[in-house]
Amino acid sequence: MSRSRTAMLAALALVAGASGTAFAAVPGDTGTAAVPCTVDYKVQNQWGTGFTTAVTVTNNGAAKSGWSVKWSYAGNQQITNGWNARITQSGTAVTAANESYNGTLGTGGSVSFGFQGSYSGSNAVPATFTLDGVTCNVDDGGGTDPDPDPDPDPDPGNRVDNPYAGAKVYVNPQWSAKAAAEPGGSRISNQPTGVWLDRIAAINGVNGGMGLRDHLDTALTQKGSGELVVQLVIYNLPGRDCAALASNGELGPTEIGRYKTEYIDPIAAILADPKYAGLRIVTTVEIDSLPNLVTNTGSRPTATPQCDVMKANGNYVKGVGYALSELGDVPNVYNYVDAGHHGWIGWDDNFAPSAQLFKEAATTEGATVNDVHGFITNTANYSALKENNFTINDTVAGKSVRESKWVDWNRYVDELSFAQGFRNQLVSVGFNSSIGMLIDTSRNGWGGSARPAGPGATTSVDTYIDGGRYDRRIHIGNWCNQSGAGLGERPQAAPAAGIDAYVWMKPPGESDGASREIPNDEGKGFDRMCDPTYTGNARNGNNLSGALPDAPLSGDWFSAQFQQLMRNAYPPLP
């Protein structure tokens, strides 16, 4: 639903022109009464009790080095968070003032900002706006208000090497509102996170929430005149998550047809809309799927019957290939394939086979390696970005670090070294040498100010590692709502060689899975790895799960986890 204040004023101006002489208001033209300013207020998306709005202010008066726009609501609208302006509200009165970076507003110039709000009953557009105390949208001559396009893009079809370079990243207003509502949450509520399309219904919006078009429309507002990345998680394969239950999906193992026609095709059609050509759309393709075919099949002790089925029918490979092919046809889409994490793929017998399997998926169902812009590691996981207190080459008490219980013969001890090493392996099997890596740092900070300052005692290799490691999980195979975890590095572009960005693809505060069985119609099962009393299986060395208690269904808001993540953040929060 979209409503515009300037559209209504333009209609009034046409009526006035029909009964008298119409004048075009020109700034500085003494022959007419110039319009001092216009405010274009558009309700872009509206659902249940919430809405998002885009505002464009055009200044026709003297140039300004700072600005303030004010209006009042007739109803009970409450603004919950905003972007590109400092927005405050007292009762029904709202003030939006410039940020430090957009205070300059020249004669004839425009500036755009946006916000999310809540309401009940009606959501009427405000009747009057002022810019620095001067009433806007007043045109004695009957001229019409401009409706500037805030989204010019001269050549959206040429992909850049790193989509995150020089770009802002989309802030999901629904997640942002939840984060801001938490005590202390405003410190991170404006961070960009991924939008998870984890079922067919998510395309149009679940339970009155924002759908894909709603997010993209809001992204256009956030974009303004610069570049903006939108991060989407493509996550609905047939037989999804064959080695876990908490995030099993809606499609059965054989429903590859539905995956293509009811899920991928509609997403691709929306992304291909020319309206969105100016956005840089990053897709994270199918979390955890392909690595399961390497590590959880056949005669391995970690194998599951469900993963054996998915390897035999080929629908993981076909589904990923089809997604890469269809989404890769959209010129401004950047596909990043999920590549597990170092505590999954870092062992010798997983490392090279995984790269080969990814190559197979990227060259089937019409896909080519050119449809792959890069890979993402550690999605929704907890592996530390960089372990500074030991290296894979250390030897303690006559034993290599690889012989410790924690490292367990892995060749990598952290995500950064793994992502850089795996990138080289992927290039060696035929992926383009220009591919970049993303690392999800949303929950891998660990320890905050209480981090170990150095390695542990050299009594044994285990005391050396356990005393110094940042990652405090009981076992590196533990993945559900981990106790003690913290926010990691804030999202940033090009932080290290071969790394396109650190991202928060998993929105902090969203549960990995329920601690107990909770009936639901979302296809989400109960996984004992989310039960803090569970003593484990072969995939976590038969250790306790390390999960937090009282967790809700995967994807639902988990306040206790969110508070823990802020408390244990590294770098620490202000």
Side-chain angles (χ1 to χ4, degrees):
M1 181 180 294
S2 177
R3 291 175 286 175
S4 172
R5 171 69 179 160
T6 53
M8 292 189 291
L9 289 167
L12 291 173
L14 291 174
V15 172
S19 60
T21 303
F23 297 91
V26 180
D29 185 347
T30 58
T32 66
V35 180
C37 48
T38 62
V39 174
D40 184 12
Y41 178 107
K42 290 181 178 177
V43 178
Q44 288 193 313
N45 306 299
Q46 186 166 295
W47 63 94
T49 59
F51 66 101
T52 59
T53 296
V55 182
T56 299
V57 182
T58 301
N59 172 37
N60 293 325
K64 300 175 181 295
S65 58
W67 50 266
S68 176
V69 179
K70 296 183 178 182
W71 68 89
S72 292
Y73 285 117
N76 61 359
Q77 295 97 326
Q78 290 291 318
I79 293 176
T80 54
N81 64 301
W83 44 90
N84 293 340
R86 291 177 288 114
I87 302 176
T88 56
Q89 182 172 0
S90 176
T92 60
V94 179
T95 299
N98 64 278
E99 294 280 11
S100 59
Y101 55 80
N102 63 358
T104 301
L105 187 55
T107 302
S110 298
V111 65
S112 297
F113 60 91
F115 57 86
Q116 181 177 6
S118 62
Y119 75 101
S120 61
S122 63
N123 184 24
V125 174
T128 304
F129 298 86
T130 64
L131 174 61
D132 295 336
V134 177
T135 301
C136 298
N137 294 350
V138 176
D139 186 352
D140 293 338
T144 59
D145 296 323
D147 188 7
D149 175 13
D151 184 33
D153 195 310
D155 191 9
N158 292 332
R159 291 188 182 95
V160 296
D161 178 60
N162 181 357
Y164 290 85
K168 297 182 294 184
V169 187
Y170 175 62
V171 177
N172 179 348
Q174 292 184 303
W175 175 82
S176 181
K178 293 175 183 176
E182 291 278 345
S186 60
R187 293 174 295 174
I188 64 166
S189 59
N190 284 330
Q191 290 290 353
T193 55
V195 174
W196 286 59
L197 302 174
D198 61 353
R199 46 188 146 155
I200 293 167
I203 299 171
N204 292 321
V206 179
N207 297 326
M210 296 173 71
L212 178 55
R213 280 193 180 276
D214 298 324
H215 284 293
L216 295 175
D217 289 341
T218 305
L220 290 176
T221 302
Q222 293 185 21
K223 179 181 185 296
S225 60
E227 299 294 344
L228 185 130
V229 171
V230 180
Q231 302 175 128
L232 304 177
V233 178
I234 307 301
Y235 186 47
N236 200 30
L237 272 180
R240 191 179 77 190
D241 280 4
C242 58
L245 297 174
S247 50
N248 284 165
E250 64 188 350
L251 300 179
T254 63
E255 294 186 282
I256 188 68
R258 289 190 65 197
Y259 177 77
K260 293 179 178 180
T261 61
E262 297 181 39
Y263 181 69
I264 293 298
D265 288 353
I267 292 174
I270 292 172
L271 300 187
D273 188 331
K275 178 181 182 181
Y276 306 123
L279 298 171
R280 298 177 181 179
I281 301 171
V282 165
T283 59
T284 298
V285 179
E286 294 298 351
I287 310 304
D288 293 348
S289 59
L290 297 178
N292 274 315
L293 300 185
V294 175
T295 63
N296 298 319
T297 56
S299 59
R300 296 191 182 211
T302 56
T304 71
Q306 294 86 351
C307 289
D308 283 332
V309 167
M310 298 317 300
K311 184 172 184 177
N313 68 25
N315 284 341
Y316 276 6
V317 171
K318 294 173 189 175
V320 170
Y322 187 81
L324 292 173
S325 175
E326 296 303 302
L327 301 174
D329 286 344
V330 182
N332 55 310
V333 166
Y334 298 76
N335 287 323
Y336 288 79
V337 179
D338 184 75
H341 54 87
H342 89 274
W344 189 353
I345 305 301
W347 282 272
D348 291 347
D349 51 355
N350 300 340
F351 195 75
S354 293
Q356 289 290 350
L357 182 64
F358 297 161
K359 174 72 177 300
E360 179 186 349
T363 52
T364 191
E365 297 287 324
T368 73
V369 293
N370 293 327
D371 290 315
V372 178
H373 201 78
F375 291 79
I376 181 169
T377 77
N378 205 46
T379 311
N381 207 262
Y382 298 86
S383 295
L385 179 67
K386 179 64 176 172
E387 292 283 9
N388 292 319
N389 293 330
F390 55 90
T391 76
I392 198 67
N393 299 315
D394 292 351
T395 299
V396 177
K399 288 192 174 183
S400 162
V401 158
R402 294 189 69 202
E403 297 179 71
S404 68
K405 292 179 181 178
W406 176 253
V407 177
D408 192 25
W409 296 103
N410 200 319
R411 287 202 181 273
Y412 297 91
V413 299
D414 53 36
E415 277 308 292
L416 181 56
S417 62
F418 167 73
Q420 292 170 325
F422 197 52
R423 179 188 176 280
N424 293 336
Q425 182 68 25
L426 291 160
V427 171
S428 76
V429 300
F431 284 98
N432 295 330
S433 59
S434 60
I435 59 171
M437 307 296 286
L438 306 178
I439 301 176
D440 188 348
T441 59
S442 60
R443 303 184 302 180
N444 71 346
W446 292 105
S449 59
R451 277 188 156 201
T458 56
T459 310
S460 70
V461 71
D462 289 321
T463 57
Y464 178 75
I465 297 298
D466 289 340
R469 59 183 168 97
Y470 301 145
D471 188 338
R472 305 312 300 176
R473 284 178 289 177
I474 298 169
H475 187 273
I476 205 166
N478 288 349
W479 55 266
C480 193
N481 300 323
Q482 289 299 282
S483 178
L487 300 166
E489 289 283 348
R490 315 307 177 249
Q492 55 187 286
I499 311 299
D500 281 351
Y502 296 153
V503 298
W504 283 7
M505 202 60 68
K506 172 72 173 182
E510 292 189 1
S511 174
D512 295 320
S515 302
R516 56 182 176 80
E517 189 163 3
I518 299 176
N520 66 92
D521 59 0
E522 302 173 25
K524 296 172 181 177
F526 170 50
D527 195 303
R528 290 297 305 279
M529 288 296 290
C530 301
D531 175 359
T533 69
Y534 183 49
T535 55
N537 54 45
R539 290 184 292 281
N540 81 329
N542 295 297
N543 285 280
L544 282 167
S545 68
L548 290 169
D550 303 319
L553 288 173
S554 62
D556 287 1
W557 190 254
F558 190 8
S559 177
Q561 185 200 55
F562 185 80
Q563 289 295 330
Q564 173 192 264
L565 292 173
M566 291 195 297
R567 187 167 57 250
N568 296 332
Y570 190 87
L573 295 178

